[in-house]
Amino acid sequence: MLRRRDFLASAVAATALPALPLGARAQQGQPPVAMPPAPAQVQPLSPAGQPQLPPGFVWGASTSSYQIEGAVKEGGRKPSIWDTFSHTPGRIADGTNGDIACDHYNRYPGDVELMAKGGFQAYRFSIAWPRVIPDGTGQVNAAGLDFYDRLVDKLMERGILPMACLYHWDLPQALQDRGGWHNRDMAGWFADYARAAVGRLGDRVKPWAMLNEPSVHAIFGHGFGNHAPGLTGWPSYVMAQHHQNLAQGTGITAVRALRSNLKLGTVFSLQPIYPASQDPADLAAAQRFDACWNTINLDPLFKGSYPAPFENVFAQLVKPGDMEAIRVPVDFLGMNYYGPSWIKHDPAAFLAQAGYGAVPEGTPRTLLGWPISAQGLVEVLTRLRDQYGNPPVFITENGACYEDPAPANGVVQDPERVEYIRAHLVACSEAIRQGCALNGYFAWSLLDNFEWAEGERRRFGLINVDFATQQRTPKASYLYLSQVMRAHAAARP
């Protein structure tokens, strides 16, 4: 049996990966990865374009529990890893935390009303594991589930489809104390939690996503350490990634056995990965980064294997039956899309010697410095079409952070966000025209919220939140999206 310390040592050694040139995997008996060409400049699609989406396309908005709920000590909830992390000095850029956030726990009726007035058809929210099973395992907390009962009933009362995500990074601290995602028992614990949530809400909530962005949670929470739980290093990342994949498959199987009439899926963050140059070392680094960000989730789910060159690394964790447990049918794939990355070879980078390179001059960016490319959304969707069987996809997050002005005359003017959303909706229509099985779009985010390590200082919301007063003010982007959604709804037969 591989002991944990032996695995750590071997995984550390695995970071010394050679810079494989393009085609090297074919020489090793593996098909080469088709990397998209690195454009000289990336721009949104034509500003003259307007989105044309088909009948039945689902329109919604997304949030996550720790980022909006607040009420961290109400209703029997116990701490999550984000409670611990955000209260650790120096972890959050502006020193804030999610203790109150948007106070959605108490203000959800008004937030649902804002969705209804805007014409939103669906709402993707996450359920807080530490509300449902505060100690992570064992006793189910009925009071915690009562909150989600009330939320779901209010959504249905206003004609809004609830889509629940079971895990959006707020692991119970009690489970982190038992090893968290480094402990393969997490798969069984997650399945128990999934059964508890679905057992209570599955009579009304039909679409369920298992995990949100497992690769991001593994990279930033367990590799870079700038997200909760603040762990670092390649071995930590590898364990967190595999055990999330295993929990995802185990959860789907458990829920499907509980109720056969649900739509089950999961949510990945996907993006185009370009080499920072045509140097063979950068080309190989881009392949490795693409594996760590994109195919480390896609390949196990849809192909039942880990991507090269990491098969040997993960083989040290994979036990008999693991890959069969992970490769289970899904009814949909949630895809979070924000923009592309340019990657260079970096011998000092923990993530397979692949680090962020220079973004081409002239590439538009958000306030966070994230590159913008609506065309990249088309690239990712066509990749799913061509390499992964064209699964039914919902865009479950898409949005942008900008420096919003103060509200004036009852609205916040955010023209950059309006253009960002418009360009990406045009990209959605283009992907559908090209045969991609795209079924809906959920904007990130309904509300300005606690934006993880950035705290309250960075805003993605369609609706402005004054965190001191909890006053909600619609933004121009909310009004724009409302017009688009209503126009498409009116055009339906």
Side-chain angles (χ1 to χ4, degrees), residues 102-258:
C102 303
D103 195 30
H104 180 72
Y105 183 88
N106 295 301
R107 299 173 185 268
Y108 74 90
D111 294 336
V112 171
E113 191 62 26
L114 283 167
M115 281 188 279
K117 288 181 178 178
F120 290 86
Q121 300 169 343
Y123 176 48
R124 175 199 166 225
F125 61 97
S126 74
I127 294 173
W129 192 339
R131 283 200 196 282
V132 175
I133 306 179
D135 293 316
T137 61
Q139 185 67 38
V140 175
N141 177 34
L145 283 168
D146 287 347
F147 165 67
Y148 298 106
D149 254 337
R150 296 190 296 270
L151 172 62
V152 167
D153 285 348
K154 180 59 68 175
L155 290 166
M156 300 189 73
E157 176 187 311
R158 300 299 284 123
I160 299 170
L161 173 75
M163 175 187 284
C165 180
L166 283 165
Y167 182 71
H168 200 130
W169 304 354
D170 48 352
L171 187 72
Q173 181 61 45
L175 290 187
Q176 187 60 45
D177 294 341
R178 298 167 70 178
W181 290 110
H182 289 179
N183 188 336
R184 68 176 283 121
D185 288 342
M186 280 290 298
W189 298 337
F190 178 79
D192 291 341
Y193 157 59
R195 280 187 284 259
V198 173
R200 178 72 171 270
L201 303 171
D203 59 329
R204 287 151 292 155
V205 180
K206 299 307 177 183
W208 289 83
M210 298 297 109
L211 307 181
N212 179 79
E213 300 184 342
S215 69
V216 178
H217 191 39
I219 291 170
F220 291 99
H222 300 78
F224 286 122
N226 53 357
H227 279 190
L231 304 178
T232 59
W234 174 260
S236 173
Y237 153 78
V238 171
M239 287 188 286
Q241 183 61 72
H242 178 63
H243 295 148
Q244 283 184 96
N245 284 344
L246 187 58
Q248 174 184 280
T250 304
I252 290 172
T253 298
V255 171
R256 191 163 276 144
L258 188 66

Side-chain angles (χ1 to χ4, degrees), residues 316-331:
Q316 299 170 78
L317 278 178
V318 174
K319 293 188 176 183
D322 278 8
M323 301 315 295
E324 292 79 8
I326 295 169
R327 189 184 185 184
V328 293
V330 290
D331 300 304

